[in-house]
């Protein structure tokens, strides 16, 4: 079972062997397997930059966060251009490649942080010369020296700041900063393309990583080596069970939804973290060694000790097999923890889990989701803990704590077991803090991806949520956006002065629209005219916040402060545009009179307007 031993290298192991592409490749060679490989979405575009048939090639910078696959992508480019594996296997971060039958030479700096001197040390003269050549080459259209440089976001600019102040170095650094700050790929007059790998959709990367993970030949080798039910990969093996559960459409789709929602919340998950998640999902067990990952030798002991339930994939997906400190230090588990799956619930869900077996109406759900699952459903440990909790939980805090942990694990399992057909009835997304997340994926993200318009009822709900925050009152107005102020402070909690109304539909050049931008972000746009548009990014948190304010009235305290401030800042921008337009369009001859429109809210939430004239 060398595959499983090797696979652990991708997991949350203390030695951090999963941190480096080179380390993984050496471990794979020892185990006799290829690493988990897939084509990065940027690979073809990067290769095209070095294409010389009838065009001028350009240099490339690969940037992003740690674990985005920059070094691996460098290797793929090196290999597909014809570079030798022996040269790449060297420890030197800098390599050269001569493009056959051409005058072009590509300089590979596959790890800028490993090649540049440490903070406080001087640059070596030959490295300064090489980087000056890089800067000169991107400022010239006909240079025969091309570069492929891999560097984390902060390291790139910091390295150039520590270089001597030659004019070409300063100009190149300014170009790098512009590309990063403006989130652009290229600048006019600069023979360079910058690929920020952190900008690629985490869900797109997840799809490729998932397929490469579950389709790796190593799994078939495990099946071929398995003998008997209790073997290291037999039918009773939790590793095998987890692998087979991971491949089921519902587990894959729900997990992908969580990854996509992280991305829509501006929480980027690099490749390394996604492979760590998948590995931990399959191999996790809270009782196994210091890394809490199963090895082939652990399987028979786990089965004999009847602790298979501690290997639950549903718990492992959230790092439940790890210690709290270890879990919180890993990015992917920190992000998934924010959904609070396992801790959020409904009365009906808990009734199914605790009393469902003996309930005539809920018994079917209990049988379907718990009793029918011999691995991670209601086993002997669950029944005993539940019964003790029901009978004397008030007198036994240890029993209470033990059962609540099991209950959290079963809630997590339900999130991956409840089919779409029962999702609305059982309120699937109420198992998370984002009750509107399912709707957000279906009605906003999916419709945007398929270039469909957003339903009017959803747009009206968001407008109502904005109006309630803008005015600080429980208004029911939803077909027009109210621009209100307190008169002296636009971010006042109560704003009774109505400056303007903007229709949800196109009217006199104004409208409110939900649209996508070129980077895949979803925007709530307020259009004053075709050239004047103010936008609020409609991420998951803001969508949840506005929906709850509109439907429930109260500001949800668990994430209200940041959202509240974001919405008021958006309101300030809208009022600033409105005031600028008013000053431009105001042709009144009587500048001594100011007319204010005051709003009052009836018990039904409708608006009553009143006017006050102030003579200055």
């Amino acid at each position: 079972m060398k595959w499983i031993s090797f696979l652990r290298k991708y997991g949350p192991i203390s030695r951090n062997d999963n941190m480096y592409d080179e380390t993984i490749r050496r471990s794979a060679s020892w185990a006799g397997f290829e690493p988990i490989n897939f084509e990065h979405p940027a690979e073809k575009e990067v290769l095209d930059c070095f294409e010389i048939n009838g065009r001028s090639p350009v240099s490339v910078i690969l940037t992003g966060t740690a674990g985005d696959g920059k070094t691996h992508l460098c290797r793929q480019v090196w290999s597909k251009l014809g570079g030798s594996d022996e040269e790449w296997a060297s420890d030197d971060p800098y390599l050269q490649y001569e493009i056959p039958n051409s005058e072009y030479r590509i300089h590979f700096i596959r790890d800028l942080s490993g090649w540049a001197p440490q903070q406080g040390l001087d640059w070596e003269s030959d490295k300064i010369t090489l980087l000056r050549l890089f800067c000169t080459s991107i400022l010239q259209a006909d240079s025969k020296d091309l570069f492929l440089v891999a560097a984390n976001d902060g390291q790139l600019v910091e390295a150039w700041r520590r270089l001597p102040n030659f004019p070409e170095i300063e100009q190149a650094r300014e170009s790098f900063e512009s590309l990063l700050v403006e989130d652009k790929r290229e600048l006019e007059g600069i023979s360079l393309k910058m690929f920020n790998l952190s900008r690629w959709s985490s869900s797109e990367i997840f799809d490729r990583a998932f397929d490469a993970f579950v389709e790796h030949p190593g799994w078939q080798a495990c099946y071929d080596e398995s003998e008997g039910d209790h073997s290291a990969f037999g039918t009773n093996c939790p590793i095998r069970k987890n692998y087979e559960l991971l491949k089921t459409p519902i587990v894959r789709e729900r997990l992908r939804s969580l990854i996509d929602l992280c991305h829509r919340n501006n929480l980027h998950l690099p490749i390394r973290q996604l492979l760590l998640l998948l590995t931990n999902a399959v191999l996790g067990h809270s009782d196994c060694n210091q890394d809490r990952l199963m090895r082939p030798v652990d399987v028979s002991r786990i089965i004999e000790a009847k602790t298979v339930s501690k290997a639950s994939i549903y718990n492992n997906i959230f790092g439940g097999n790890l210690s709290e400190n270890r879990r919180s230090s890993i990015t992917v588990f920190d992000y998934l923890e924010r959904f609070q799956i396992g801790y959020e619930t409904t009365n009906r869900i808990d009734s199914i889990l605790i009393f469902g077996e003996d309930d005539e109406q809920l018994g079917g759900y209990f049988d379907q989701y718990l009793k029918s699952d011999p691995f991670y459903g209601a086993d002997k440990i669950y029944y005993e803990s539940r019964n003790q909790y029901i009978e004397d939980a008030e007198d036994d805090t240890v029993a209470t704590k033990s059962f609540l942990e099991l209950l959290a694990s079963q809630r997590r399992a339900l999130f991956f077991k409840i089919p779409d057909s029962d999702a609305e009835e059982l309120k699937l997304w109420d198992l998370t803090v984002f009750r509107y997340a399912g709707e957000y994926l279906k009605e906003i993200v999916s419709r945007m991806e398929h270039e469909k318009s957003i339903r009017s009822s959803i747009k009206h709900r968001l407008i109502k949520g904005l109006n309630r925050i803008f005015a600080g009152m429980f208004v029911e107005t939803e077909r027009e956006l109210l621009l209100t102020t307190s008169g002296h402070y636009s971010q006042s909690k109560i704003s009774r002065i109505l400056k303007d109304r903007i229709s949800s539909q196109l009217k006199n050049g104004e409208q409110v629209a939900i649209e996508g931008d070129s980077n895949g972000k979803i925007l709530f746009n307020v259009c004053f005219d075709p050239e004047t548009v103010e936008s609020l990014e409609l991420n998951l948190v803001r969508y949840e916040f506005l929906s709850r304010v509109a439907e429930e009235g109260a500001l949800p305290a668990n994430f209200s402060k940041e959202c509240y401030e974001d919405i008021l800042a958006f309101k300030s921008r809208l009022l600033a545009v409105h005031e600028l337009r008013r000053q431009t369009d105001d042709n009144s001859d009587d500048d001594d009179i100011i007319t204010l429109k005051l709003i009052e809210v009836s018990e039904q939430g409708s608006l009553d307007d009143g006017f006050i004239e102030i003579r200055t």
Side-chain angles (χ1 to χ4, degrees):
M1 298 291 175
K2 282 188 175 181
W3 165 246
I4 292 173
S5 298
F6 164 64
L7 186 62
R8 296 176 78 255
K9 302 291 185 183
Y10 287 96
I13 56 179
S14 56
R15 293 183 299 279
N16 286 333
D17 286 354
N18 60 357
M19 293 293 285
Y20 305 103
D21 180 67
E22 296 84 353
T23 306
I24 287 289
R25 297 198 67 81
R26 284 195 291 268
S27 298
S29 178
W30 170 84
F33 293 102
E34 283 293 316
I36 300 174
N37 285 327
F38 57 90
E39 182 178 305
H40 193 283
E43 183 177 311
K44 186 178 184 304
E45 292 183 76
V46 174
L47 281 167
D48 286 346
C49 293
F50 300 110
E51 178 62 51
I52 60 175
N53 292 333
R55 53 194 276 185
S56 298
V58 297
S59 292
V60 170
I61 290 178
L62 300 178
T63 188
T65 59
D68 271 321
K70 298 181 292 295
T71 303
H72 178 74
L73 184 50
C74 276
R75 185 187 187 283
Q76 294 299 99
V77 172
W78 170 270
S79 178
K80 293 193 175 183
L81 288 174
S84 72
D85 291 342
E86 292 76 16
E87 285 186 79
W88 186 267
S90 71
D91 293 329
D92 192 343
Y94 169 65
L95 299 171
Q96 292 184 38
Y97 176 74
E98 305 278 349
I99 299 181
N101 304 316
S102 78
E103 302 177 75
Y104 289 98
R105 174 175 55 178
I106 305 177
H107 304 266
F108 284 76
I109 303 179
R110 51 180 170 171
D111 180 12
L112 183 64
S113 62
W115 183 75
Q118 294 183 356
Q119 189 79 30
L121 299 180
D122 293 334
W123 282 90
E124 298 172 19
S125 59
D126 59 330
K127 293 183 177 181
I128 294 176
T129 300
L130 182 65
L131 293 186
R132 288 188 68 184
L133 174 63
F134 175 35
C135 297
T136 301
S137 69
I138 65 174
L139 298 174
Q140 298 175 348
D142 57 350
S143 175
K144 304 304 180 184
D145 285 287
L146 304 171
F147 283 77
L148 177 56
V149 180
N152 289 351
D153 297 1
Q155 295 170 346
L156 178 65
V157 175
E158 179 59 28
W160 254 255
R161 283 177 179 161
R162 292 194 286 125
L163 285 167
N165 291 325
F166 293 105
E168 65 272 20
I169 287 178
E170 290 185 11
Q171 188 173 348
R173 184 181 66 238
E174 291 174 359
S175 298
F176 299 161
E177 289 176 340
S178 295
L179 289 168
L180 287 169
V181 171
E182 298 173 21
D183 199 16
K184 291 183 177 179
R185 186 168 294 178
E186 54 189 318
L187 293 174
E188 187 176 354
I190 305 295
S191 299
L192 171 74
K193 286 192 176 183
M194 180 181 289
F195 294 84
N196 190 336
L197 302 190
S198 296
R199 294 295 180 262
W200 261 265
S201 165
S202 295
S203 54
E204 181 182 4
I205 298 294
F206 172 80
D207 286 337
R208 296 178 182 231
F210 186 96
D211 289 339
F213 183 90
V214 300
E215 295 171 6
H216 195 282
W219 293 112
Q220 186 57 51
C222 291
Y223 281 109
D224 294 341
E225 295 174 28
S226 63
E227 297 179 2
D229 294 343
H230 289 70
S231 68
F233 204 71
T235 55
N236 292 326
C237 171
I239 299 175
R240 175 170 171 169
K241 181 64 175 179
N242 287 346
Y243 169 65
E244 292 173 350
L245 283 172
L246 183 66
K247 293 195 299 178
T248 59
I250 190 170
V251 172
R252 174 178 182 156
E253 186 55 38
R254 293 282 159 77
L255 185 53
R256 187 189 189 278
S257 293
L258 294 178
I259 300 302
D260 195 16
L261 289 170
C262 286
H263 173 72
R264 301 290 173 180
N265 236 7
N266 300 316
L267 300 174
H268 172 67
L269 286 168
I271 295 172
R272 185 183 300 156
Q273 291 290 318
L274 295 174
L275 292 177
L276 182 151
L277 168 66
L278 296 172
T279 301
N280 192 74
V282 173
L283 300 184
H285 192 292
S286 57
D287 289 349
C288 284
N289 54 70
Q290 64 177 14
D291 294 323
R292 304 193 181 189
L293 297 174
M294 289 180 284
R295 301 166 297 178
V297 296
D298 295 320
V299 173
S300 59
R301 176 182 58 80
I302 290 170
I303 295 174
E304 184 177 347
K306 300 185 186 308
T307 60
V308 168
S309 61
K310 293 186 178 182
S312 170
I313 184 176
Y314 309 117
N315 219 31
N316 293 342
I317 284 172
F318 301 96
N321 58 303
L322 304 174
S323 67
E324 185 176 350
N325 288 339
R326 181 67 177 135
R327 182 169 61 249
S328 63
S329 68
I330 298 173
T331 301
V332 65
F333 297 133
D334 175 42
Y335 289 173
L336 293 178
E337 180 75 9
R338 303 184 190 193
F339 290 93
Q340 287 292 287
I341 298 176
Y343 307 107
E344 292 290 316
T345 189
T346 66
N347 290 335
R348 193 175 190 196
I349 289 293
D350 279 0
S351 293
I352 292 172
L353 295 175
I354 302 173
F355 308 109
E357 186 179 28
D358 302 318
D359 188 288
E360 183 177 339
Q361 293 183 331
L362 303 178
Y365 292 123
F366 185 90
D367 292 345
Q368 181 180 356
Y369 300 132
L370 278 82
K371 195 172 182 178
S372 64
D373 184 353
F375 270 81
Y376 306 130
D379 59 6
K380 182 180 179 181
I381 296 175
Y382 182 82
Y383 282 125
E384 290 177 350
S385 183
R386 181 202 62 176
N387 293 340
Q388 189 171 3
Y389 170 78
I390 293 173
E391 292 172 7
D392 55 7
E394 294 182 359
D395 302 323
D396 191 342
T397 56
V398 175
T400 300
K401 182 179 179 181
S402 175
F403 179 68
L404 291 179
E405 290 176 354
L406 291 174
L407 198 61
S409 182
Q410 290 299 335
R411 290 175 189 144
R412 289 173 170 172
L414 286 182
F415 181 79
F416 292 95
K417 290 180 177 181
I418 295 174
D420 291 341
S421 57
D422 289 342
E424 185 174 347
E425 181 183 352
L426 294 179
K427 299 187 182 302
L428 173 72
W429 287 97
D430 280 13
L431 287 168
T432 79
V433 294
F434 299 103
R435 302 174 195 167
Y436 291 87
E439 178 187 87
Y440 179 78
L441 287 172
K442 180 181 179 181
E443 298 293 342
I444 302 295
V445 174
S446 178
R447 294 182 75 87
M448 282 291 172
E449 290 176 345
H450 292 88
E451 298 182 349
K452 295 182 178 179
S453 59
I454 304 302
R455 289 194 293 117
S456 297
S457 59
I458 289 179
K459 182 168 70 169
H460 293 160
R461 183 210 301 157
L462 296 175
I463 291 174
K464 182 165 77 169
L466 284 169
N467 285 339
R468 288 185 168 187
I469 296 170
F470 284 4
M473 295 178 281
F474 290 134
V475 300
E476 292 293 328
T477 305
E478 61 181 22
R479 295 181 180 272
E480 53 187 6
L481 188 65
L482 307 176
L483 299 187
T484 62
T485 180
S486 64
H488 65 284
Y489 181 48
S490 66
Q491 296 194 348
S492 175
K493 291 183 178 181
I494 306 296
S495 298
R496 296 185 180 278
I497 300 176
L498 180 62
K499 304 290 286 186
D500 201 358
R501 303 170 186 256
I502 299 178
S503 174
S504 63
Q505 303 299 322
L506 184 60
K507 183 178 180 181
N508 298 327
E510 299 180 342
Q511 69 170 327
V512 174
I514 300 174
E515 301 169 316
D517 70 0
S518 58
N519 294 321
K521 292 183 178 181
I522 299 169
L523 305 177
F524 185 94
N525 289 333
V526 178
C527 309
F528 293 89
D529 57 56
E531 288 76 37
T532 309
V533 180
E534 286 295 324
S535 302
L536 176 73
E537 183 182 349
L538 194 59
N539 59 29
L540 171 62
V541 172
R542 291 172 182 164
Y543 185 84
E544 179 80 17
F545 179 73
L546 291 174
S547 294
R548 288 211 203 176
V549 170
E551 295 295 329
E552 302 169 16
L555 300 178
N558 50 346
F559 47 80
S560 62
K561 183 177 180 181
E562 180 181 353
C563 285
Y564 185 66
E565 292 174 351
D566 288 346
I567 300 303
L568 291 185
F570 180 52
K571 171 186 169 182
S572 295
R573 288 192 280 124
L574 296 176
L575 288 171
V577 172
H578 174 270
E579 181 61 21
L580 182 62
R581 286 163 55 86
R582 187 195 66 79
Q583 292 176 0
T584 303
D585 299 339
D586 191 2
N587 297 315
S588 173
D589 294 330
D590 192 351
D591 294 330
D592 295 333
I593 298 177
I594 299 175
T595 302
L596 301 178
K597 181 181 289 186
L598 300 182
I599 58 174
E600 295 290 340
V601 181
S602 69
E603 292 184 0
Q604 292 75 34
S606 60
L607 294 185
D608 294 325
D609 297 346
F611 293 89
I612 294 179
E613 290 188 350
I614 302 175
R615 187 173 298 277
T616 60

